Amino acid sequence: MKLVKSLVLGSAAAFVGMTGAQAADLPGAEPVEYVKVCDAYGAGFFYIPGTDTCLLIGGLVRGDYSVGEVVRTIGGGSSKPANNTGFRARARLWFDARTETEYGTVRTYIRAQFQRDSGNQSGSTAATAVGGDDSVFDKAFVQFAGLTAGLTDSFWDFKPYPTFTNPFISDRTLAVLAYTADFGGGFSASIGIEDGTARRTTATGGAGGPGFADYREQKYPDIVGNLRVKQGWGEAQLSGFAHHITTEEISRDSDWGYGVQLGAKVDLPFLGKGDFLWASAAYSSGALSYLGLGSGSGDYAFVVSGTQNILNANRLVDFEVGPGGKIRKTEAYAFNLGVLHYWSPKWRSALQGTYVDANVKTFGQNNDFSGYGITTNIIWTPVKKLDIGAEINYVKVEDKSAVYNLRDDDAFVGRFRVQRDF
């Protein structure tokens, strides 16, 4: 037995020695490179192995459950034209890659979004991307030396919003090409072009007389810019847009819509850590989407029962065409005021009021209208990056247009949300 043991140990020693000798003759193996933390851009970034690029990977999963009053149509039709309840599941995954260069930071950002709606007004059960196209990319852009190119938030929009839903606020992700100049001290200015087709709100009218008209080709993109300041007290932004309108009714005509918005967010640390007051005032001529109205208004509302479409029962169009092809633009104002308050590190609430007034006078018919909304919520964060909350939204038409065809002029929508960020 001792002889066998000696033979085994001797053979193992000889094998190890021979292997070591052979390894000494081979080129040196590359050292293992472990992932390193990158603290240049905040928590969560790490170096992509073998590069000087820092990467952040994140995402969220959200479940929304809504219930609302059914809005009935005057003059017949189903007494229950849509569902009272609806469901939405949403998932996001984003990648934020940044590299320092002699020209500054090069940033590449991708955010994929998947969504499934069911039980809502349309009855859709298909998994679709927000925005109604075939792409799952909610955002995809490059930033370099002040340049922003790709799919991202409109430079008109002013965030953060204090509540889940904001009926009369633009909240758009669309194709942009813009330049931002940083003046230091928190001051900056941006100017760029954005996809105007994503902002169109229109209805077709008959040719040969007064009525509504479809847009034609996009000859010029929307021109959007802002002036922004962000300092210790909060932030503010003044933004504006120019929106080209081209149509064909009787004769060819074109015009420019335009608008301006002032938004401010004031931090309220004396009330609670994270508290803030948020407000905006906006005017639009010829492009209702910039006020969160009509088609192309973005993802501001999770609609069930058509309750938040109460205002859409009015004639929400960007322009009208009269005799001789004359374009008459819709004018509208929107005002918003909200506050977010942390009762404790795990509990917070928001309260927001919104008001809109639109001048949609057609040639010979009054379609002006106004309305308002009130939203409040309560959110519990039992653990970090997990929100469980409920929100209720009340919308009312104050002044109805001549074409208003809904029996009810106000409605409630309630929603329950569970969201986990990572």
Side-chain angles (χ1 to χ4, degrees):
M1 188 68 180
K2 291 183 179 180
L3 177 61
V4 173
K5 185 176 181 180
S6 299
L7 288 174
V8 171
L9 292 176
S11 299
F15 176 77
V16 170
M18 181 174 62
T19 303
Q22 291 175 343
D25 298 331
L26 295 176
E30 291 292 332
V32 177
E33 184 173 0
Y34 296 96
V35 174
K36 296 186 297 183
V37 173
C38 173
D39 55 8
Y41 308 108
F45 282 89
F46 61 90
Y47 285 100
I48 299 175
T51 74
D52 58 356
T53 297
C54 297
L55 179 65
L56 173 68
I57 301 175
L60 66 80
V61 174
R62 175 191 299 167
D64 274 335
Y65 311 92
S66 291
V67 59
E69 296 179 80
V70 171
V71 178
R72 298 173 179 85
T73 302
I74 295 173
S78 171
S79 62
K80 295 286 185 180
N83 299 311
N84 289 90
T85 59
F87 299 80
R88 166 176 289 177
R90 173 178 291 182
R92 284 179 180 170
L93 184 64
W94 59 77
F95 304 86
D96 189 348
R98 308 188 192 189
T99 307
E100 283 302 311
T101 73
E102 57 183 311
Y103 302 99
T105 303
V106 178
R107 184 187 184 193
T108 306
Y109 186 92
I110 297 173
R111 188 172 83 182
Q113 180 159 288
F114 305 88
Q115 182 168 298
R116 183 184 291 272
D117 290 341
S118 59
N120 60 9
Q121 188 181 18
S122 65
S124 171
T125 59
T128 58
V130 170
D133 55 28
D134 296 328
S135 172
V136 298
F137 289 108
D138 180 52
K139 289 186 178 181
F141 63 87
V142 174
Q143 290 180 319
F144 171 67
L147 181 71
T148 299
L151 190 69
T152 187
D153 295 326
S154 171
F155 280 78
W156 163 271
D157 294 349
F158 179 67
K159 299 180 179 181
Y161 308 129
T163 52
F164 297 164
T165 54
N166 305 279
F168 313 135
I169 294 173
S170 168
D171 184 7
R172 298 308 312 277
T173 297
L174 35 71
V176 308
L177 177 62
Y179 176 76
T180 299
D182 188 347
F183 304 117
F187 290 90
S188 65
S190 300
I191 185 70
I193 55 176
E194 300 184 359
D195 179 16
T197 63
R199 291 288 192 179
R200 294 179 172 185
T201 299
T202 184
T204 303
F212 305 106
D214 278 332
Y215 283 91
R216 300 309 179 192
E217 75 279 7
Q218 178 172 252
K219 294 184 66 175
Y220 309 104
D222 283 11
I223 302 171
V224 181
N226 67 53
L227 299 173
R228 190 177 183 90
V229 58
K230 185 174 183 179
Q231 296 179 337
W233 55 267
E235 53 192 299
Q237 177 177 293
L238 176 66
S239 51
F241 75 86
H243 174 79
H244 190 251
I245 299 170
T246 302
T247 185
E248 283 181 338
E249 290 285 346
I250 305 176
S251 63
R252 193 174 186 85
D253 197 6
S254 65
D255 202 348
W256 283 91
Y258 58 90
V260 63
Q261 175 177 248
L262 178 62
K265 171 181 171 286
V266 180
D267 296 331
L268 305 174
F270 55 89
L271 292 179
K273 184 179 180 181
D275 288 18
F276 65 82
L277 181 71
W278 181 92
S280 70
Y283 166 79
S284 168
S285 174
L288 287 172
S289 170
Y290 284 92
L291 302 188
L293 288 169
S295 61
S297 297
D299 190 39
Y300 67 86
F302 176 24
V303 179
V304 294
S305 313
T307 49
Q308 288 181 266
N309 278 336
I310 279 182
L311 286 171
N312 288 352
N314 296 278
R315 282 189 170 174
L316 293 180
V317 292
D318 289 338
F319 62 92
E320 304 140 344
V321 177
K326 179 176 174 58
I327 290 177
R328 183 170 181 174
K329 296 171 291 186
T330 297
E331 295 183 300
Y333 302 84
F335 303 93
N336 299 274
L337 179 64
V339 62
L340 176 70
H341 173 60
Y342 280 82
W343 303 99
S344 72
K346 293 187 177 182
W347 289 93
R348 69 183 188 271
S349 293
L351 176 65
Q352 181 166 304
T354 64
Y355 176 79
V356 65
D357 186 280
N359 181 338
V360 201
K361 287 189 176 73
T362 59
F363 294 87
Q365 188 178 41
N366 182 3
N367 286 315
D368 291 2
F369 69 91
S370 64
Y372 64 86
I374 300 174
T375 304
T376 186
N377 62 32
I378 180 72
I379 302 171
W380 178 43
T381 307
V383 297
K384 187 177 180 180
K385 295 187 177 183
L386 173 64
D387 289 340
I388 302 173
E391 181 171 279
I392 187 167
N393 184 283
Y394 175 74
V395 180
K396 178 177 175 59
V397 175
E398 189 73 11
D399 297 311
K400 298 185 284 290
S401 73
V403 298
Y404 191 84
N405 62 358
L406 297 183
R407 180 176 290 112
D408 301 328
D409 60 5
D410 67 339
F412 285 92
V413 175
R415 60 184 45 77
F416 178 74
R417 172 174 292 182
V418 179
Q419 178 172 312
R420 168 63 170 169
D421 294 76
F422 60 89

